[in-house]
């Protein structure tokens, strides 16, 4: 099976696998234990924290290891809410992942305000600029890159606006890390990342906090991580996370993203030429080089196309991994102004660093063939139903 679902989970990179196995052997102890085996594991964690901090350009002590991005998002949101007056609102972009949107809804209910996006799926900064002088939300959340469309968000400008008004800022950078340089994100207020989106193992991630912030714990128990996150640290997972991110940053430094963006763009051009009436979501915006979200007109239902492509040997997605399996139209695409019918025909292709160019060509050929079959069978069905 050719894998085009890296935004859902990116298979373990060889460097991460090696780092994980090596760490499991070399650091079997609990980092909180007093003996030398424990101390060795603790030193390995400290070293990993420094390496991650270098990649993010933040201070090592501002990094909290978590079980993934969902926990990092929950931690940042509950901290901001608990640190604000009881009536403060939470401003969250309409296209955030459920890890942010559902958390915000659960915690503040009617005090949640959605920041709108334009037709390309970019957060409307003007809305933030106009509203910030009038209110003081507990937190503004604008993600770095959208998981469904790959559209890059104006997080840097949003961060500056928040800093001007003294409002905490949260950036869910889960889809950005490993695909674009993480360095500028280090000073972006609260920043969430997850290893399995960039070729590290599942079940490990991080939250980088603003300098010196005393982030409240979401999980209580042992006093690990200076009381900011209880639970024994996943030493091997953390070391594999850092190895995967360092490797990805090396690919970026060598310009590997440019060539891959061209391959993705060529795929989209050829697809639109071959499938009349198709469209690429967020085509007019800067997007992650690995992601292509398209609406294909002849597809009667996106899940059916996903199943047909699966049978043809391609793992693709309807969008957010969490929304798969439900027929509800994507909140991201409807926020961009797509009708529920169009949104229900959207499919997402997301590649990784190791996806070869030929895989995109083969995917294109499979889609064109399936689209042709679907069009032919629906034309036959229409002819059968037509009155004599
Ligand atoms: N945020 C974004 C943008 C995501 O794409 C995802 C996963 O799909 C998450 C958060 C949740 O990540 P995790 O699986 O690490 O909890």
């Amino acid at each position: 099976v050719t894998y085009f679902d890296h935004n859902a989970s990116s298979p373990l990179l060889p460097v991460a696998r090696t780092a994980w196995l090596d760490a499991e052997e070399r650091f079997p102890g609990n980092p909180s234990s007093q003996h030398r085996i424990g101390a060795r594991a603790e030193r390995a964690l400290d070293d990993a924290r420094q390496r991650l901090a270098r990649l993010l350009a933040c201070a090592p002590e501002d990094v909290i290891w978590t079980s993934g991005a969902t926990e990092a998002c929950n931690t940042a949101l509950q901290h901001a809410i608990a640190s604000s007056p009881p009536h403060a609102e939470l401003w969250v972009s309409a296209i955030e992942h459920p890890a942010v949107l559902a958390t915000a809804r659960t915690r503040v209910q009617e005090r949640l305000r959605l920041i709108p996006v334009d037709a390309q799926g970019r957060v409307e900064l003007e809305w933030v600029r106009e509203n910030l002088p009038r209110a003081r939300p507990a937190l503004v959340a604008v993600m770095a890159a959208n998981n469904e469309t790959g559209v890059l968000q104006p997080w840097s400008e949003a961060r500056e606006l928040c800093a001007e008004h003294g409002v905490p800022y949260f950036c869910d950078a889960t889809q950005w890390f490993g695909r674009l340089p993480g360095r500028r994100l280090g000073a972006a207020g609260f920043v969430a990342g997850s290893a399995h989106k960039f070729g590290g193992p599942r079940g490990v991630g991080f939250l980088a906090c603003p300098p010196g912030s005393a982030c409240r714990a979401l999980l209580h128990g042992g006093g690990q991580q200076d009381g900011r996150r209880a639970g024994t640290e996943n030493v091997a997972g953390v070391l594999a996370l850092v190895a995967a991110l360092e490797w990805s940053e090396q690919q970026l430094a060598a310009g590997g993203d440019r060539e891959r963006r061209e391959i993705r763009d060529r795929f989209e051009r050829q697809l639109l030429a071959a499938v009349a009436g198709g469209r690429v979501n967020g085509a007019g915006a800067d997007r992650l080089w690995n992601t292509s979200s398209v609406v294909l007109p002849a597809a009667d239902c996106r899940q059916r196309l996903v199943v047909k492509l699966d049978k043809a040997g391609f793992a693709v997605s309807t969008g957010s991994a969490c929304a798969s399996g439900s027929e509800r139209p994507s909140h991201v695409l409807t926020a961009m102004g797509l009708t529920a019918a169009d949104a229900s025909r959207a499919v997402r292709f997301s590649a990784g660093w190791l996806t070869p160019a030929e895989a995109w060509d083969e995917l294109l050929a499979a889609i064109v063939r399936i689209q042709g079959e679907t069009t032919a069978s629906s034309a036959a069905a229409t002819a059968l139903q037509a009155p004599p």
Side-chain angles (χ1 to χ4, degrees):
V1 173
T2 309
Y3 192 73
F4 272 100
D5 203 10
H6 286 253
N7 288 11
S9 201
S10 195
L12 202 63
L13 286 167
V15 285
R17 184 175 184 276
T18 306
W20 192 90
L21 289 170
D22 182 58
E24 277 297 320
E25 274 184 17
R26 288 176 57 210
F27 310 114
N30 185 323
S32 300
S33 295
Q34 304 290 304
H35 43 69
R36 279 174 297 164
I37 293 178
R40 222 175 286 150
E42 193 186 14
R43 273 199 303 278
L45 267 186
D46 285 347
D47 177 54
R49 194 174 263 117
Q50 284 182 15
R51 285 162 64 196
L52 180 66
R54 252 197 308 278
L55 294 177
L56 269 64
C58 70
E61 56 273 18
D62 293 331
V63 172
I64 301 174
W65 304 117
T66 65
S67 61
T70 300
E71 184 192 328
C73 296
N74 273 265
T75 304
L77 265 62
Q78 64 84 32
H79 167 77
I81 294 163
S83 312
S84 302
H87 300 297
E89 293 176 338
L90 213 56
W91 294 3
V92 166
S93 96
I95 55 166
E96 295 294 308
H97 187 274
V100 174
L101 265 179
T103 305
R105 259 191 207 113
T106 306
R107 288 193 175 263
V108 300
Q109 286 139 22
E110 72 284 356
R111 285 186 287 119
L112 167 66
R113 290 190 73 187
L114 294 182
I115 309 171
V117 299
D118 65 17
Q120 296 300 329
R122 273 177 308 228
V123 164
E124 286 189 10
L125 264 190
E126 254 336 281
W127 188 98
V128 183
R129 196 170 282 122
E130 267 176 28
N131 284 284
L132 263 185
R134 293 190 222 127
R136 197 177 189 292
L139 184 82
V140 171
V142 174
M143 70 199 319
N146 184 263
N147 46 301
E148 293 192 31
T149 60
V151 171
L152 307 187
Q153 302 302 323
W155 57 266
S156 179
E157 294 85 344
R159 168 180 71 185
E160 275 165 33
L161 276 173
C162 288
E164 251 171 55
H165 293 270
V167 167
Y169 172 66
F170 171 60
C171 186
D172 176 2
T174 303
Q175 297 289 346
W176 178 289
F177 284 116
R179 303 198 176 114
L180 287 172
R183 206 166 168 72
R184 287 168 53 232
L185 279 159
F190 292 94
V191 185
S194 179
H196 77 108
K197 304 292 182 177
F198 52 77
R202 276 159 286 204
V204 59
F206 58 86
L207 176 69
C209 302
S213 84
C215 186
R216 288 165 204 250
L218 175 70
L219 302 181
H220 301 275
Q224 290 95 342
Q225 306 204 51
D226 294 326
R228 293 173 305 175
R229 199 274 188 182
T232 304
E233 297 90 339
N234 178 354
V235 179
V238 158
L239 287 172
L241 175 157
V242 173
L245 195 53
E246 284 177 345
W247 184 88
S248 305
E249 291 279 353
Q250 283 161 14
Q251 310 311 304
L252 281 164
D257 54 322
R258 280 195 291 277
E259 181 195 334
R260 286 167 180 80
R261 180 173 284 107
E262 279 165 22
I263 294 167
R264 189 274 318 268
D265 287 350
R266 192 187 62 204
F267 161 82
E268 290 181 346
R269 275 196 308 276
Q270 292 179 342
L271 181 65
L272 295 186
V275 179
R279 64 185 270 191
V280 174
N281 297 312
D286 279 344
R287 285 177 291 143
L288 293 172
W289 53 263
N290 78 320
T291 307
S292 182
S293 164
V294 302
V295 174
L296 297 170
D300 48 357
C301 154
R302 59 182 177 161
Q303 286 197 321
R304 224 160 294 172
L305 180 58
V306 170
V307 171
K308 283 180 182 167
L309 279 169
D310 189 23
K311 282 191 186 140
F314 298 89
V316 309
S317 160
T318 55
S320 162
C322 306
S324 315
S326 85
E327 270 303 301
R328 269 180 300 145
S330 143
H331 70 283
V332 173
L333 300 179
T334 47
M336 291 164 67
L338 268 73
T339 61
D342 278 351
S344 72
R345 286 194 291 266
V347 277
R348 179 188 70 188
F349 313 115
S350 53
W353 285 111
L354 303 178
T355 306
E358 307 80 66
W360 284 101
D361 295 336
E362 288 156 16
L363 174 66
L364 175 71
I367 298 169
V368 171
R369 180 176 53 72
I370 291 168
Q371 285 289 116
E373 286 165 8
T374 311
T375 315
S377 64
S378 58
T382 313
L384 276 177
Q385 282 162 12

